[in-house]
Amino acid sequence: MTRIAPLLQRNATYAAASTPAALAPPTLQTVIVSCLDHRLPPELVLGLEVGEAAVIRNAGGRITPAVLEDLAYLSFLSEQVFADQLGHAAQSLFEVAVIHHHECGTGFLADGNFRDRASRSTGVAEDRLLETLVDNPERTVRDDVARLLASPLIPARVPVSGHVFDIATGRLSTVCDVGVRVDTSSAVAAAQ
């Protein structure tokens, strides 16, 4: 038996009771960006049900160029396709919650020798690997929230918060309350 076989059996049980959901924005209008670590399943940690939130996972839960591109597309989709369902008068399109955690496996990348070996083994440049490093989750989550709020790809109508998950206790703590990027383009246009 392969390792995926029991999971396929679980899927058969799920599919037997599942009903398809319509394409729509998540009901909680939230996107979670989190680490791919198996000890931090956002759906379980946050008690999410199907359809409540979108979840993006990568090494470290970092805000990488790919995550920025995904969020930019979700913003476009929200504005263009789901405007009626979201209520265009709403102040935000959706909220992004960035979650980092203690004991992250990317912490090994702080060691230059380990990072060099990882780079040679994976073909990923050391500087790219270093971008995923979470050695101090309170600091890195602040950095990533700031990166999101500063990105021109993310509309000002997308608030962002930052949180840290404690592997030992299962608790999530807020490090950065919801912040919103100030959109100066309309103010500049009005002044001209």
Side-chain angles (χ1 to χ4, degrees), residues 10-21 50:
R10 290 181 193 178
N11 173 254
T13 302
Y14 170 82
S18 176
T19 56
V50 172

Side-chain angles (χ1 to χ4, degrees), residues 169-188:
T169 66
R171 297 267 180 201
L172 196 65
S173 59
T174 299
V175 174
C176 301
D177 284 328
V178 174
V180 180
R181 181 169 60 87
V182 177
D183 186 2
T184 56
S185 61
S186 57
V188 170

Side-chain angles (χ1 to χ4, degrees), residues 48-126:
L48 296 174
E49 299 291 331
V50 172
E52 288 186 325
V55 176
I56 299 171
R57 295 177 76 172
N58 66 20
R62 299 306 306 265
I63 301 301
T64 62
V67 170
L68 287 170
E69 291 166 1
D70 286 346
L71 292 171
Y73 179 70
L74 288 173
S75 299
F76 173 79
L77 195 63
S78 295
E79 290 177 320
Q80 299 297 313
V81 178
F82 300 126
D84 294 339
Q85 295 170 11
L86 291 172
H88 235 313
Q91 291 202 347
S92 67
L93 298 173
F94 53 83
E95 182 176 323
V96 177
V98 180
I99 302 174
H100 292 184
H101 68 93
H102 295 280
E103 301 176 23
C104 187
T106 63
F108 292 114
L109 294 169
D111 178 288
N113 184 40
F114 183 90
R115 190 172 55 251
D116 174 64
R117 290 191 337 254
S119 177
R120 284 186 282 116
S121 176
T122 64
V124 178
E126 283 191 55

Side-chain angles (χ1 to χ4, degrees), residues 149-167:
L149 293 175
S151 175
L153 296 176
I154 308 304
R157 293 177 57 206
V158 176
V160 182
S161 61
H163 314 271
V164 172
F165 180 71
D166 187 329
I167 295 289

